[in-house]
């Protein structure tokens, strides 16, 4: 019998099944540095232990300061690939992703997934699997959870279809369901150190921000980032995995790049509280130059001192679009749009 | 007088000579992260401090957990390059490499080499130098030792030949000579966290495992890895160092890549106990796509609780060879074979 | 109003103005590792905690050992880019850069700049801004300071010219003004561990050293290094930022590369005490192969036990120039010269 992992096929998933994903992963200061070498991030909380402490964020041992929120996201997400999406035809979407607690170096992240929905496609060859994944730290505290659905091949097209169950997922996380990190306090927020003066009240719903800067992708950089998260999807690393001979850039790479570019105009969006939805509308490849713009979708107060929440649409484009057009008259994404990410961030009031 | 290092030539080596290699090198969490960004490693011990502690492996100060065994190997080996192989015509082989103790962040590694053999070639222009190298940590405990032989240029072809001494080296490390890390205990091994259910008894001598996945090499990644080990061999970094204008990929890069790919089928091969022999049969260059397969050569029990040893042949190939052919009918390595590495790993029983 | 940073234009600067730069940045072991993956550095102090302790250099908490001096330089310098040189036509020069204290992992660096001179150009379109920048750690101790002057666009060519003030800057830091790190003691210096036997007395003023080795630049590596320092200058990352479609290599990348190459002949130049002046005479791009040579400009004793200072010219070239020619008969830099860096290093006596 083969000892290598063939991945799961559609008929391997059953409703209510819980999958414990290999391999637990300890986050380190090395991850922060490699991340900073690949993404042009400058947010003050992950950049500076002093700044993080000034807003109430330190490690559980009084040491360490939070790494980029997306490091936790990529690591936790990467764990699920070998079990959930190795045989995926397409990653269809994710929702209800909440960041429960910042991760500091020394934390060890483990992820498990529960199958919450199944729907065979009418062609009988594929089906959609819905999972809710939960990442916990070494103290078994939830650090991140999210729902995700992927289209997966059937191993055997003759296999009977399971009962169709499609879970109800919120179009976005309600403001009152956001988890504010314990201790977070923006009362004495240092806007000069953070890099911009704009606070909660300066942002208006409907406002769009062109983040101006662009980054040209290289093969090494997207591979290194994706590998760091132990994401094993073949298409990112192997020119023989796709008919066109190109290595596909991991969608999460575009998210991290756009998030870092958004510093220019959203420097005070220190923490990501939730990801409501994400559409990866076009593939990205080495050589592409990526730009980003944001739109303010909603605003909410929070119970934490001095902390407000902005719901943002973060859009990554290939080539700069100063018109910041999301969709054409036909309702389709405009040419050049790579990513449409709906998320909540926490900002000083 | 020139202040730069010309390297040693054949007549600079004398039997019994001991060379203390510069520069001691402290291993850090940064090394773990950079390694993880360059190689698709997912072995649970170096990935997770929690998992490492569950099998008895923690740092000497109760903190830290082992880094990849090959980090120690590359650092220790890299130290010897300026003194031993800067003028090498060819790296002919290595043997009797034993891993004595896992390395944790904070450990400082120093390496020395003793000349154990000399043999001038009949052409009078080159000779073979045999050294036994030993790497120790800051407490002067041996962490790694190995024998190696290289063909080196003579500075002066008129120089008299030394007495020929060729050391006897074991074709492989005997199972009873393997060093098991202090404290290692696989009794409560968590197979789910580690990623595969296969244990000692599931592997049979003669069994071959195709590790399936491939990775396409980039120039930056092999340079970054090789540089991290302070390996200074010019051919890896300088397009002007070889007539063909290509940068040669460090053989150790292929070892680390193949070892990481072997996770898929050998996820429980947590630790390398010994490297018996290694043949780098073809050069690798950026653009090549590397695959790996393994063959079980032998099995042995050990004295440590729950710990067995597998002797494996790890083969890296350019392009995937599902037939897993090592050599052709002519007894020569099959086209595409880059590496034939004979080594011992420790697995749960 | 736009929320993104337009950078400052010439008329935004006023004499005596103090700019606090975003974002404070905590240095980590990860920075050391990424640096070591990008530059072929082997200096014993940043390489080994044991060696560093043997010459009196440990972290303020008794832990940690200094990172490469240039890590501090690049981070501190990078901070000033968004405020000082985002609209620069040219980086004209720097002077009086002194390294006051080694930086260890855990230190958080903040930088501020004071405008010390202004001079509008006769074309009325641009002007030269002189700033003195100071980097401090989390205890508000100065770790680095330097003067720098850049040519900056005017936003409005009609704006009145400020009074011309050109500060007097020393052509080089006088030996007696060098700051020797507290505790530094080279009395028991281990030349074998450091890699070369050459000490203070072995170097003569006027002596030139060809550092022999070359490194071919890749796009990923210079981007990763520059990004790690949070340097946001567009030309380094975006092929659409320059008419020729090339990404310009950050001048500091060439400095770090040349400094690392200088190990071969200057292995005992453990610490940089000052940078007197730097001319970036030609641009560098991916694909170029960089070599380095040094010239001893001056020598000085210091008050620290066993510590001498060498004033060196470090020259980086595209392609190797064994003749080590700085300038042609016309007084212009020889073809191939990329960098002419005048600096002080500390060596054992």
């Amino acid at each position: 019998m083969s000892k290598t992992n063939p991945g799961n096929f559609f008929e391997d998933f059953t409703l209510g099944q819980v999958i414990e994903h290999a391999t637990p992963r300890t986050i380190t200061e090395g991850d922060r540095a490699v991340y900073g070498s690949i993404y042009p991030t400058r947010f003050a909380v992950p950049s500076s232990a002093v700044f993080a402490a000034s807003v109430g964020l330190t490690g559980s041992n009084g040491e360490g300061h939070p790494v980029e929120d997306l490091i936790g996201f990529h690591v936790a997400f990467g764990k699920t690939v070998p079990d959930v999406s190795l045989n995926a035809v397409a990653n269809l979407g994710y929702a209800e992703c909440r960041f429960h607690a910042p991760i500091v170096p020394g934390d060890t992240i483990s992820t498990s997934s529960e199958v919450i929905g199944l729907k065979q496609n009418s062609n009988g060859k594929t089906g959609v699997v819905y999972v809710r994944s939960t990442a916990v730290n070494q103290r078994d505290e939830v650090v991140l959870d999210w729902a995700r659905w992927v289209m997966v091949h059937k191993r055997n097209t003759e296999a009977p279809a399971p009962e169709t169950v499609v879970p109800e997922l919120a179009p976005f996380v309600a403001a009152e369901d956001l988890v504010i990190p314990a201790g977070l306090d923006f009362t004495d927020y240092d806007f000069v150190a953070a890099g911009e003066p704009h606070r909660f009240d300066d942002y208006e719903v409907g406002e769009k921000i062109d983040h101006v800067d662009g980054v040209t992708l290289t093969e090494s950089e997207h591979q290194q980032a994706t590998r760091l998260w132990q994401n094993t999807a073949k298409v990112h690393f192997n020119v023989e995995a796709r008919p066109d001979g190109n290595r596909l850039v991991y969608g999460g790479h575009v998210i991290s790049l756009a998030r870092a570019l958004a510093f220019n105009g959203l420097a005070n969006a220190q923490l990501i509280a939730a990801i409501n939805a994400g559409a990866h509308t076009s593939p990205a490849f080495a050589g592409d130059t990526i730009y980003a713009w944001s739109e303010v979708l909603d605003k909410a107060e929070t119970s934490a001192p001095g902390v407000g929440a902005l719901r943002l649409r973060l859009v990554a484009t290939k080539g700069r679009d100063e018109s910041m057009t999301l969709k054409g008259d036909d309702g389709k994404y405009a040419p050049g749009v790579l990513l449409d990410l709906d998320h909540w961030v926490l900002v000083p009031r």
Side-chain angles (χ1 to χ4, degrees), chain A residues 10 26 41 55 58 72 76 88 91 94 101-102 116 146 149 152 157 177 201 251 253 261 274 284 308 311 329:
Chain A
F10 182 65
T26 303
T41 178
V55 298
T58 50
N91 287 292
Y94 37 89
I116 58 170
W146 71 96
W149 53 108
V152 180
T157 55
D177 292 335
D201 286 341
H253 188 65
L261 291 171
R311 186 178 155 211
D329 294 337

Side-chain angles (χ1 to χ4, degrees), chain A residues 25 76 97 102 106 138 161 181 201 214 230 293 300 308-309 317 324 341:
Chain A
R25 168 80 153 72
C97 175
Q138 69 279 15
D201 286 341
Q230 302 179 317
W293 57 268
T317 59
M324 298 183 270
L341 189 81

